[in-house]
């Protein structure tokens, strides 16, 4: 099982990070280790040696068949469910890595950094590019997004990634976060909503 993730896929999030409305020329793709996966409502243990840890709520897509060099027009055949996930990010470490021109894996792929909620069958979604989602922290909404605001759409991402990696059943794709990221603390309660349905519920310890 592989975990793919996309950086800088919502322009307002890019502004809060880079202070500019920046659109990458191609999707920014990175991966997470399989030990990063956090599911079934298990708690997120905040690593005390990595500095500030930020939440980044995202729509996550589940791959359901083998594919390589997938044409964008056929990409819809290769995923069967979606949910809300959190791409936990060691922000202080990320700043240091980016400044040095180093890869992101240490700040993005550490254990427990890829939280996912309950899966929703894609057939229950009217349009994957018109899905609203949000993240609540301790009962207050901190992030809201809609997949219509993605710079690179889900089908584009699948076609692009499959040029470099063979996609397999069970692989996951984190599609990028909207604006509103922020730090987590021990004791925080995080809830992710797909439209009005709560699909993610976890606590930070």
């Amino acid at each position: 099982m592989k975990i793919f993730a996309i950086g800088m896929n919502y322009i307002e999030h890019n502004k809060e990070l880079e202070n500019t409305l920046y659109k990458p020329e191609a999707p920014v793709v990175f991966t997470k280790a399989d030990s990063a996966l956090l599911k079934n409502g298990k708690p997120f243990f905040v690593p005390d040696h990595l500095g500030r840890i930020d939440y980044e709520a995202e729509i996550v897509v589940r791959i359901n068949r083998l594919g390589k060099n997938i044409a964008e027009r056929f990409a819809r055949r290769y995923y069967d469910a979606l949910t809300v996930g959190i791409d936990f990010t060691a922000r202080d470490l990320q700043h240091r890595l980016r400044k040095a021109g180093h890869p992101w894996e240490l700040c993005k792929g550490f254990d427990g950094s890829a939280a996912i909620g309950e899966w929703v069958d894609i057939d229950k979604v009217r349009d994957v590019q018109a899905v609203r989602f949000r993240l609540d922290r301790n009962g207050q909404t901190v992030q809201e997004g809609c997949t219509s605001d993605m710079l690179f759409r889900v089908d584009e991402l699948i076609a692009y990634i499959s040029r470099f990696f063979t996609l397999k059943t069970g692989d996951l794709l984190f599609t990028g976060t909207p604006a509103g990221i922020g730090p987590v603390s021990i004791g925080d309660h995080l809830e992710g909503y797909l439209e009005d349905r709560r699909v993610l519920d976890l606590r930070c310890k």
Side-chain angles (χ1 to χ4, degrees):
M1 186 270 292
K2 302 184 292 298
I3 302 174
F4 300 101
I6 306 299
M8 309 185 77
N9 202 27
Y10 287 81
I11 202 161
E12 289 298 329
H13 169 62
N14 299 349
K15 183 177 180 181
E16 72 180 349
L17 282 185
E18 305 287 341
N19 200 29
T20 182
L21 297 175
Y22 170 71
K23 178 179 179 178
E25 293 183 3
V28 177
V29 181
F30 57 96
T31 60
K32 290 173 175 273
D34 58 2
S35 60
L37 186 62
L38 184 68
K39 59 183 181 179
N40 300 327
K42 292 182 179 179
F44 172 67
F45 290 94
V46 182
D48 57 9
H49 64 292
L50 292 180
R52 170 174 163 166
I53 305 295
D54 281 359
Y55 56 77
E56 297 188 9
E58 315 196 359
I59 290 294
V60 183
V61 172
R62 183 176 69 190
I63 302 300
N64 69 331
R65 61 192 298 185
L66 185 73
K68 176 72 174 175
N69 291 320
I70 301 165
E72 184 180 334
R73 66 183 183 277
F74 298 131
R76 171 60 188 82
R77 302 177 182 177
Y78 289 83
Y79 55 97
D80 65 350
L82 70 163
T83 190
V84 175
I86 301 176
D87 168 22
F88 286 108
T89 303
R91 191 68 65 197
D92 295 336
L93 178 57
Q94 184 184 40
H95 289 324
R96 295 197 298 272
L97 292 171
R98 292 182 68 177
K99 186 176 181 179
H102 292 167
W104 292 6
E105 274 75 10
L106 293 180
C107 68
K108 287 284 195 177
F110 56 90
D111 289 353
S113 63
I116 59 171
E118 300 172 8
W119 293 109
V120 175
D121 193 290
I122 198 70
D123 292 335
K124 297 181 180 178
V125 177
R126 180 177 57 84
D127 181 355
V128 73
Q129 293 302 153
V131 175
R132 295 192 174 277
F133 62 102
R134 77 176 198 268
L135 180 71
D136 288 1
R137 175 175 176 257
N138 302 326
Q140 300 293 321
T141 299
V142 289
Q143 279 190 283
E144 292 182 278
C146 183
T147 54
S148 62
D149 294 328
M150 287 181 176
L151 297 175
F152 299 98
R153 299 167 308 185
V154 172
D155 290 357
E156 290 181 90
L157 295 173
I158 288 174
Y160 182 79
I161 291 170
S162 72
R163 291 164 53 189
F164 304 91
F165 301 93
T166 298
L167 298 180
K168 296 182 177 181
T169 301
D171 287 349
L172 305 180
L173 172 60
F174 282 67
T175 58
T177 193
I181 61 172
V184 295
S185 301
I186 293 174
D188 280 350
H189 182 202
L190 302 175
E191 298 170 285
Y193 289 81
L194 190 68
E195 299 291 351
D196 294 324
R197 176 176 175 175
R198 186 177 71 176
V199 294
L200 176 70
D201 186 354
L202 67 83
R203 296 184 182 271
C204 299
K205 294 185 176 181

